Amino acid sequence: MRFGIKTLDEFDYRGKTVLCRVDINQPVDRATGTLRSTTRIRACVPTIRELSDKGARVVLLAHQGSDIEYKNYYTLRLHRAVLEELLGRPVQFVEDVCGPAAQEAVRSLKDGEILLLENVRYMAEEQTLFELKLKLTHEQQAQTVVVRKLAPLADLYVCDAFAAAHRDQPSLCGFEQVLPSAMGRLFEKEYCVISELMESPARPCTFVLGGAKISDAFLMLETVLRGGAADRVLTGGLVGNILLAAKGEEIGKGSLDFIYKSNYGEYIDVAKGLLEKYADRIVLPEDLAWLENGERREAAVGSIPADIASLDIGSKTAENYRRLIESSATVFVNGPMGVFEQETTELGTKTVWLALGATRAYTVVGGGDSITATSKYGQTDNIDYICTGGGALIRFLTGEELPVVKALRHGAALEEKK
């Protein structure tokens, strides 16, 4: 047991039906009917293979697509083909989550066989609006359809979906109330790596925070500075722009308009409070870049034209961040430094990621855009650990107990009482 949660080492799987919740949510190219990335699918393969090798009858539960807009949902049929190729063994698939077809497929499994059920988010009880509106307790989640229909067919539940551990949904938190439960190898590894990052990182420890997920980013910023995990925080993207605006610096009308239209104006006051307490450890951009007639322009902070929209950190900032990263012993990165999808505004992000690949520091990258940047700049093999989680990772770093962690601990406690 680790962190109060059972691991795969604590059960015998031969002949047992195991419900295994994974996160294989990947960007889909609908025009070609292909997956644009297989990062998360590859990450959960070790757990699936281990369960199968040990004689389990493996039933995979997973989701695909945004859980706010139904139109973004997509079948998991594509994922089955990728899993089958990576595992080197058959993976059955059924276009059902917990109805008669799914139940019959589960009952028909033989030892070592693997079955992937259809996208759980086709069910209303697995959607975010259901989660946010009803706020079911974990005990109540155990009474939802997916748990009531599938749990009686299973002997064990394994959660390997760390990337979804911030979600409070039945397929993630309900089964632990009624089945012996454990975390998978990916979940265990990510939990260990991030815990070590927070508790005892090699010094100096540098956090690099960018991107546009503001609410979580500022919670994390407060936590790592207050708790002492971060010796310094390098800022870019919308995070950096808000901090600069809080300091009274010009970031351009376009940038300010975006902040207020996106209802992020309140974070300028939050940023002021952080700068008052931690200015000595928060590193702000010293120059910014924008586009003028399609060409990149840069200026020092203090000389930024009032009518522009800043889209990247400038060259001097990028070079300073490179030096600070290369002089660190631990580096954690979440979020790009600007709009890295286009060549004219990718300099800051590209410089930071190349520095990550070159430094001798222990490096950790997390979040969807960060994983995309890692791949784009060819640094996948040079980063020590790439965390599949985005929202879950950030929530963990804010000090919040993740719903799935709480559920798995509850399941472990129930087992200990037996």
Side-chain angles (χ1 to χ4, degrees):
M1 189 179 299
R2 308 187 74 173
F3 310 106
I5 302 172
K6 288 186 177 293
T7 71
L8 293 187
D9 299 316
E10 298 173 63
F11 295 102
D12 174 25
Y13 299 99
R14 186 156 303 279
K16 302 290 180 62
T17 298
V18 179
L19 297 178
C20 181
R21 179 60 159 97
V22 293
D23 190 331
I24 52 177
N25 186 28
Q26 301 280 191
V28 176
D29 186 333
R30 289 172 178 260
T32 61
T34 59
L35 299 177
R36 292 176 179 166
S37 171
T38 59
T39 301
R40 284 180 171 170
I41 300 178
R42 291 176 182 276
C44 69
V45 162
T47 291
I48 300 171
R49 179 179 286 118
E50 180 176 345
L51 290 171
S52 175
D53 287 346
K54 290 180 176 179
R57 303 172 182 185
V58 185
V59 181
L60 301 177
L61 294 160
H63 71 277
Q64 172 60 47
S66 165
D67 49 0
I68 291 294
E69 297 183 0
Y70 187 84
K71 65 182 181 181
N72 287 331
Y73 294 161
Y74 206 79
T75 179
L76 294 179
R77 187 175 290 279
L78 300 176
H79 307 64
R80 183 212 64 82
V82 175
L83 277 169
E84 196 166 71
E85 180 181 353
L86 293 173
L87 287 162
R89 65 192 70 179
V91 175
Q92 301 175 40
F93 176 74
V94 60
E95 291 182 334
D96 188 14
V97 179
C98 61
Q103 293 176 46
E104 179 57 31
V106 172
R107 291 191 186 98
S108 300
L109 281 175
K110 296 180 175 60
D111 294 1
E113 290 187 339
I114 303 166
L115 167 68
L116 174 63
L117 301 178
E118 184 56 286
N119 189 349
V120 295
R121 285 187 178 162
Y122 285 149
M123 301 188 65
E125 61 193 30
E126 286 288 319
Q127 297 172 16
T128 294
L129 292 178
F130 187 98
E131 173 187 348
L132 297 180
K133 292 294 184 181
L134 295 186
K135 300 183 184 298
L136 298 184
T137 65
H138 290 175
E139 291 76 14
Q140 290 171 328
Q141 288 180 37
Q143 299 304 313
T144 55
V145 174
V146 68
V147 178
R148 286 192 294 107
K149 295 295 185 181
L150 293 180
L153 306 178
D155 300 291
L156 300 165
Y157 172 78
V158 170
C159 187
D160 209 28
F162 183 83
H166 60 306
R167 310 274 19 151
D168 207 341
Q169 297 165 342
S171 70
L172 291 159
C173 301
F175 288 106
E176 295 94 327
Q177 313 309 309
V178 294
L179 287 174
S181 304
M183 58 182 168
R185 297 303 185 196
L186 175 62
F187 197 113
E188 181 181 358
K189 186 174 182 180
E190 301 212 319
Y191 200 114
C192 290
V193 168
I194 304 307
S195 294
E196 179 71 17
L197 178 67
M198 289 294 285
E199 294 169 7
S200 55
R203 306 286 181 174
C205 178
T206 299
F207 277 64
V208 185
L209 299 183
K213 293 185 177 179
I214 298 306
S215 58
D216 287 339
F218 275 96
L219 277 173
M220 178 166 59
L221 189 61
E222 170 76 33
T223 301
V224 300
L225 288 169
R226 183 182 65 246
D231 295 305
R232 56 198 175 202
V233 180
L234 317 183
T235 62
L238 192 54
V239 176
N241 282 348
I242 288 177
L243 284 159
L244 286 171
K247 193 179 177 184
E249 301 287 359
E250 181 64 67
I251 59 172
K253 183 178 183 299
S255 299
L256 273 178
D257 285 348
F258 179 82
I259 290 170
Y260 285 105
K261 286 179 180 178
S262 302
N263 297 316
Y264 293 147
E266 63 184 282
Y267 290 101
I268 292 179
D269 288 332
V270 174
K272 288 179 181 178
L274 290 172
L275 288 170
E276 288 176 1
K277 291 186 286 187
Y278 308 112
D280 59 325
R281 287 190 283 155
I282 298 176
V283 184
L284 301 177
E286 56 186 287
D287 58 348
L288 296 172
W290 67 96
L291 293 182
E292 190 174 302
N293 298 321
E295 295 187 6
R296 183 184 178 96
R297 296 284 186 267
E298 295 187 2
V301 170
S303 301
I304 303 294
D307 60 345
I308 61 96
S310 53
L311 302 174
D312 189 19
I313 58 174
S315 302
K316 290 184 178 178
T317 302
E319 178 59 22
N320 182 41
Y321 286 5
R322 183 193 65 78
R323 289 194 299 267
L324 291 172
I325 287 170
E326 292 187 355
S327 66
S328 300
T330 304
V331 184
F332 168 79
V333 181
N334 183 265
M337 296 294 96
V339 183
F340 72 100
E341 292 84 356
Q342 55 192 55
E343 185 177 356
T344 47
T345 52
E346 72 170 348
L347 183 145
T349 302
K350 184 176 182 178
T351 300
V352 165
W353 256 258
L354 292 179
L356 286 175
T359 183
R360 294 182 179 179
Y362 181 78
T363 51
V364 179
V365 167
D369 285 341
S370 299
I371 293 173
T372 300
T374 302
S375 176
K376 179 178 181 179
Y377 301 120
Q379 299 305 312
T380 300
D381 294 335
N382 298 325
I383 305 299
D384 291 297
Y385 194 73
I386 299 174
C387 184
T388 62
L393 170 65
I394 293 175
R395 295 293 178 85
F396 187 93
L397 291 175
T398 66
E400 176 183 325
E401 184 180 41
L402 301 176
V404 176
V405 170
K406 182 179 180 180
L408 286 168
R409 285 175 175 159
H410 175 78
L414 283 179
E415 282 301 298
E416 292 301 309
K417 292 178 181 177
K418 292 181 180 180

